[in-house]
Amino acid sequence: MKTFNVFIILFFIHQFIILGQEPHSNDYAIILKTGENNVETQQQKYLYKDRNVPIEDRIDHLLGLMTLDEKIKQMNQWTYGKNANPNNIGDKMKEVSPLIGSLLYRSTHPEYRNQIQKKAMTESRLGIPIIFGFDAIHGYRTVFPIPLAQACSWNTDLVKESCKIAAKEGWLSGLDWTFSPMLDVARDARWGRVSEGYGEDVYANSQFAIAAVKGYQGEDLADKYTIAACLKHYVGYSLSEGGRDYRYSDVSMQTLWETFLPPFQAGIKAGAATVMSGFNDITGVPASANHYTLTEVLKDQWQHDGFVISDWGSIRNLVDQGVAKDRKEAGLKSFLAGIEMDMVDDVYIDHLPELVAEGKLSMSAIDDAVRRIIRVKMKLGLFENPYVDVVPEDKRYLLPEYLKVAEELASESMVLLKNDNKTLPITSKYKQLAIIGPMVKDSVHIMGFWEGMGRSQDVETIYEGLEKEFGNEVALNFAAGCDFEGEDRSGFKEALETAEKSDIVLIFLGEKRNWSGENGSRSSIALPKIQEDLVLELLKAKKPIVLILSSGRPLELIRLNRWADAIIEIWQPGTAAGSAVAGILSGRHNPSGKLSMTFPQTTGQIPMYYNMRKPARPNLGHYQDIPRDPLYWFGHGLSYSSFDYGPIKLSKSEISKTDTLIAEVEVTNAGTRDGKETVLWYIRDPIANISRPMKELQYFEKKYIRAGETIKYSFEIDPLRDLSYLDSRGNVHLESGDFYILVNDQKVKFEIINR
Ligand code: NOJ
């Protein structure tokens, strides 16, 4: 009798809760204690909030409680637009629905994030936390070099560390999620977005993808200071026709599998929580409506259990691309293809309810999409810890250890392209340095595009770096010479006089930040004529000429290369630009960067990348008016030391498909300075059923070698991993026969035998 009474009481309490809310199918929502009718207190007791319950059970429970409207709002990302003014955000905050799934958070204020989150936690019926996302692409407040430069460091540990710092600064400002890394393998330098990725090689992109994901996400996404990564732009975006942004990309299935998918697959394997679909039209089926790539490959084959977000407007763009007649059809196509979250467009909010009502979308499909979003939120620990810590800015940003990493990564990214007659480093024989060019005192463009929340006032300019580096020992004779573009030559005279009274002429040229990055395409990758003319003018001083180039892409240097004694590509190094550049010039940093992207002779030579297919007639077909090779190949980069490579030694010359083979090479630092050397190991498969590139990078390793020291590098070759190739459906093929391993200018043959 007593048991029966307790049961009745529990039943009524249960009904009271259920009736007080939207209807739901699942009666997991049993209140554990009686007498508490405060909604929030009751919600705390819900199973989906219990971190000790397995995540999938928690999601089942929550989905059972959610209305369709609540589900669809989870699939929406809201944005404030571009206005990050804190006062406006304060006002705007009132407009944010407590039900939204995500917010594109363009503010450095953790307090606002916490207030908005509090609305979601307390003013919504189920208290589902919002996930706050932002583009921290190469740093948050501490700006690191652009990713294209980072790849030239070949230092995955440093790249991982930079992502970890970005995550920490970002998390302490209110972020849970960054739209990074970008993994679009880049082979057309006219496309401005080459600056955002890791260059032209598939393996390099894959390795830096892993480093970035691990750096952002740490060991456990639920830990403090970790944020979710987002692999983008899935997929094939960098083939945008002619390097113009947002264009059609003709991606064959072979190229898709061989070139574009592998870095994404590596990032997924490393645990990336989310993926962003691209704007591009992949051979007739846009990336944001592509069921094959988004569902069949990503979810079915690779078993990704996180979610996909569209790029900014890429759902509504399906109408512009001509595959949907209106926003509603665009929403239907994107959703069915496999996009769970709608960035900015509000297409899902506006149209998914009617699409469900019309029976065009099933509730189970909606549930699967929402499950993926909730899963990421649960993995981030947002249900338990929805708020971020609020600490003062000086404890949050630009800490000395962050700046140290920024300087190290920037200096390791810089590539010494040319150094005739050992013009560099600047030795004590030079007492008067001419410091000329539009980049010298710049603190804006040197951060590059997507500078996160970086501020120009925090940037150490090149001039400041040089002053600190050289102190009173040498005179720094400055003249701007000219602007980045235009025709004003009025500064040339002063620049020439400055060069004439100096012992060496350092000319700092480059690109403005928005000449690369999104919507930053250029028909020519040469620097504007005014900058080249400045160099021509300064040649009249007949002094050694050093060019220091800052750009978001490889440049056309066919003319400048002839005029300069030494050239350093410093890319867009970020906050620590000054110390890094000055350290390279003085020799405090021994250059160790090697190109992650080829520098063609001229723009017309594009596409030009190291792992092209073999031509039918190797000696014919070249452009008649320029040399056949590019100016600087992928992998090129000098040091102030010289590194001598011993012969490649193989543990065997024949292996079966299941054996492993060890390749070794000894490298001696034959210079007088300590330095770092990266060994790039390539494989060549000369004959295969599907033609193979001339060579393919399969491994790299960077090591520190003291002057005079010899160090062994080795590469353990696993045939299935390193010698196989993918066909146009992603099937792996490993063929027997001859292979070559290549390092520097050496190559050694070995054979896979059928056993
Ligand atoms: C558009 C860009 O293509 C993408 O890379 C970025 O993450 C989003 N906007 C959000 O800012």
Side-chain angles (χ1 to χ4, degrees), residues 557-570:
L557 300 179
I558 191 164
R559 291 164 298 279
L560 290 175
N561 193 62
R562 280 199 297 269
W563 303 336
D565 298 287
I567 305 180
I568 309 171
E569 173 60 64
I570 63 167

Side-chain angles (χ1 to χ4, degrees), residues 406-657:
E407 182 181 340
E408 260 177 73
L409 185 51
S411 63
E412 290 205 20
S413 301
M414 294 175 183
V415 184
L416 181 62
L417 294 173
K418 174 177 182 180
N419 194 18
D420 287 357
N421 309 315
K422 296 198 173 162
T423 308
L424 290 175
I426 293 169
T427 57
S428 51
K429 72 176 181 197
Y430 298 118
K431 299 289 178 223
Q432 300 273 338
L433 310 185
I435 312 289
I436 297 172
M439 282 315 296
V440 175
K441 294 193 173 176
D442 166 79
S443 59
V444 173
H445 305 297
I446 202 125
M447 283 195 285
F449 202 82
W450 293 117
E451 69 276 39
M453 286 293 175
R455 300 182 309 186
S456 65
Q457 66 261 41
D458 298 322
V459 171
E460 186 184 39
T461 65
I462 291 173
Y463 192 80
E464 288 160 353
L466 292 172
E467 275 185 318
K468 204 169 77 184
E469 191 81 24
F470 292 103
N472 299 325
E473 284 161 35
V474 294
L476 300 181
N477 304 324
F478 169 71
C482 66
D483 203 347
F484 288 93
E485 54 192 330
E487 289 174 7
D488 183 359
R489 300 163 67 101
S490 59
F492 278 26
K493 186 166 172 284
E494 186 202 359
L496 181 56
E497 285 162 10
T498 306
E500 279 166 343
K501 70 173 184 207
S502 305
D503 306 319
I504 185 168
V505 185
L506 309 176
I507 314 175
F508 298 83
L509 305 176
E511 294 192 312
K512 289 181 155 183
R513 65 177 281 287
N514 60 356
W515 292 3
S516 60
E518 188 176 352
N519 197 21
S521 303
R522 289 180 78 79
S523 70
S524 164
I525 61 166
L527 287 175
K529 188 165 178 301
I530 188 81
Q531 297 197 40
E532 292 200 0
D533 284 354
L534 174 67
V535 180
L536 260 186
E537 182 73 10
L538 297 177
L539 289 182
K540 292 182 189 158
K542 299 204 176 341
K543 301 286 167 68
I545 298 276
V546 179
L547 297 184
I548 298 94
L549 307 173
S550 170
S551 60
R553 58 162 56 78
L555 295 169
E556 172 179 313
L557 300 179
I558 191 164
R559 291 164 298 279
L560 290 175
N561 193 62
R562 280 199 297 269
W563 303 336
D565 298 287
I567 305 180
I568 309 171
E569 173 60 64
I570 63 167
W571 306 108
Q572 289 160 330
T575 310
S579 302
V581 172
I584 290 278
L585 289 171
S586 73
R588 179 169 53 81
H589 293 305
N590 192 352
S592 63
K594 294 188 176 189
L595 292 179
S596 57
M597 199 171 171
T598 298
F599 275 49
Q601 299 276 354
T602 60
T603 308
Q605 206 181 26
I606 293 171
M608 175 57 89
Y609 49 95
Y610 86 91
N611 49 353
M612 286 181 288
R613 292 300 215 275
K614 285 171 282 189
R617 295 181 168 189
N619 294 322
L620 300 176
H622 300 284
Y623 293 120
Q624 295 176 354
D625 51 339
I626 50 170
R628 66 167 66 175
D629 280 340
L631 188 60
Y632 294 115
W633 279 115
F634 170 89
H636 172 75
L638 307 172
S639 158
Y640 296 148
S641 304
S642 58
F643 295 101
D644 294 345
Y645 283 60
I648 301 172
K649 291 184 190 145
L650 298 184
S651 58
K652 322 171 188 157
S653 57
E654 281 183 1
I655 50 168
S656 76
K657 289 181 178 171

Side-chain angles (χ1 to χ4, degrees), residues 276-392:
M276 184 186 296
S277 65
F279 292 119
N280 55 306
D281 180 338
I282 314 177
T283 322
V285 185
S288 292
N290 201 307
H291 188 266
Y292 179 68
T293 54
L294 291 167
T295 296
E296 291 168 53
V297 176
L298 181 68
K299 289 164 191 164
D300 299 346
Q301 289 192 36
W302 297 348
Q303 297 286 299
H304 184 236
D305 69 357
F307 67 88
V308 179
I309 182 163
S310 57
D311 200 347
W312 183 285
S314 72
I315 298 182
R316 87 177 113 88
N317 289 158
L318 297 179
V319 177
D320 305 299
Q321 287 166 309
V323 296
K325 67 174 184 298
D326 52 22
R327 283 161 44 91
K328 181 175 170 188
E329 195 181 10
L332 178 66
K333 287 205 167 183
S334 289
F335 182 86
L336 289 177
I339 293 181
E340 285 85 22
M341 191 178 278
D342 169 359
M343 182 188 281
V344 175
D345 275 347
D346 289 347
V347 170
Y348 281 8
I349 291 223
D350 293 344
H351 298 292
L352 292 199
E354 43 180 315
L355 287 164
V356 173
E358 289 164 10
K360 292 190 175 133
L361 291 181
S362 70
M363 208 48 194
S364 69
I366 298 277
D367 280 354
D368 177 68
V370 178
R371 171 180 296 278
R372 289 170 172 276
I373 294 166
I374 299 293
R375 189 182 283 135
V376 170
K377 292 186 176 185
M378 286 190 174
K379 284 189 180 170
L380 278 162
L382 288 176
F383 281 80
E384 298 84 54
N385 299 306
Y387 309 112
V388 296
D389 298 351
V390 178
V391 301

Side-chain angles (χ1 to χ4, degrees), residues 739-751:
F739 287 84
Y740 291 89
I741 183 150
L742 298 91
V743 166
N744 256 10
D745 50 1
Q746 302 180 50
K747 70 171 193 224
V748 176
K749 188 159 96 175
F750 63 95
E751 190 183 350

